[in-house]
């Protein structure tokens, strides 16, 4: 079991690296930098940011690792960072985009509904943490802890929603720690 956890963590960390590289490229785009650094973001800008962060979430899904009828992924990174930077509307919309994609596109598995709900929940959570994040003196620590907590919530949602419960429990035993650690660090 420990060996499997290490392998999943190693592979997921590589996938998180892809998302981080994508984010690095985005920070080099002047328009994106301007939007993220604005204090008062117009509605159209929030929608634009939601689409960008939703797409990053979708990339996190497609770079995921199929495992036991589920996908070990980094979808939360785009959605959560979108919420932290853009607020509740961006968190909600990017979570809705990436979550609906996870549910509606036939990449499925028995966790599709649970993962789509958790993606939306994590986006909303991050959006409501925006002000605390902005006011924090320790932004990196804040984002790490909040991201880890969001992934714990995802594991709880998987256990509550995914059926059969026995399969959900076995999956969470394997993916819980790797996703909490890798995605928390990615955020």
């Amino acid at each position: 079991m420990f060996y499997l956890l290490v392998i999943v963590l190693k592979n997921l960390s590589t996938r998180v690296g892809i998302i981080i590289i994508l984010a690095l490229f985005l920070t080099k785009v002047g328009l994106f930098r301007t939007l993220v650094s604005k204090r008062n973001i117009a509605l159209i800008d929030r929608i634009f940011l939601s689409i960008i962060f939703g797409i990053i979430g979708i990339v996190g899904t497609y770079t995921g690792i199929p495992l036991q009828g589920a996908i070990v992924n980094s979808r939360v990174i785009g959605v959560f960072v979108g919420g932290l930077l853009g607020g509740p509307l961006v968190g909600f919309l990017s979570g809705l985009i990436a979550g609906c994609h996870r549910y509606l596109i036939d990449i499925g598995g028995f966790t599709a509904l649970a993962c789509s709900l958790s993606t939306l929940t994590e986006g909303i959570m991050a959006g409501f943490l925006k002000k605390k994040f902005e006011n924090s003196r320790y932004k990196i620590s804040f984002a790490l802890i909040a991201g880890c907590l969001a992934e714990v919530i995802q594991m709880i949602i998987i256990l509550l929603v995914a059926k059969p419960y026995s399969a959900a429990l076995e999956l969470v035993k394997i993916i819980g720690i790797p996703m909490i650690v890798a995605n928390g660090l990615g955020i």
Side-chain angles (χ1 to χ4, degrees), residues 36-127:
V36 169
S37 64
K38 276 185 180 180
R39 272 286 196 210
N40 296 318
I41 305 172
L43 179 61
I44 191 71
D45 295 336
R46 290 177 200 267
I47 292 170
F48 181 68
L49 284 173
S50 299
I51 292 168
I52 289 173
F53 286 114
I55 290 171
I56 293 172
I58 291 169
V59 169
T61 298
Y62 280 123
T63 57
I65 306 157
L67 179 73
Q68 295 185 354
I71 301 168
V72 185
N73 65 82
S74 54
R75 174 178 48 255
V76 69
I77 295 174
V79 171
F80 204 84
V81 171
L84 284 180
L85 297 178
L89 182 64
V90 174
F92 171 76
L93 290 177
S94 60
L96 188 66
I97 290 166
C100 283
H101 171 269
R102 172 66 178 95
Y103 183 72
L104 296 174
I105 303 303
D106 190 21
I107 51 179
F110 73 102
T111 62
L113 177 61
C115 290
S116 64
L117 290 174
S118 66
T119 301
L120 181 60
T121 302
E122 290 169 305
I124 293 168
M125 173 188 168

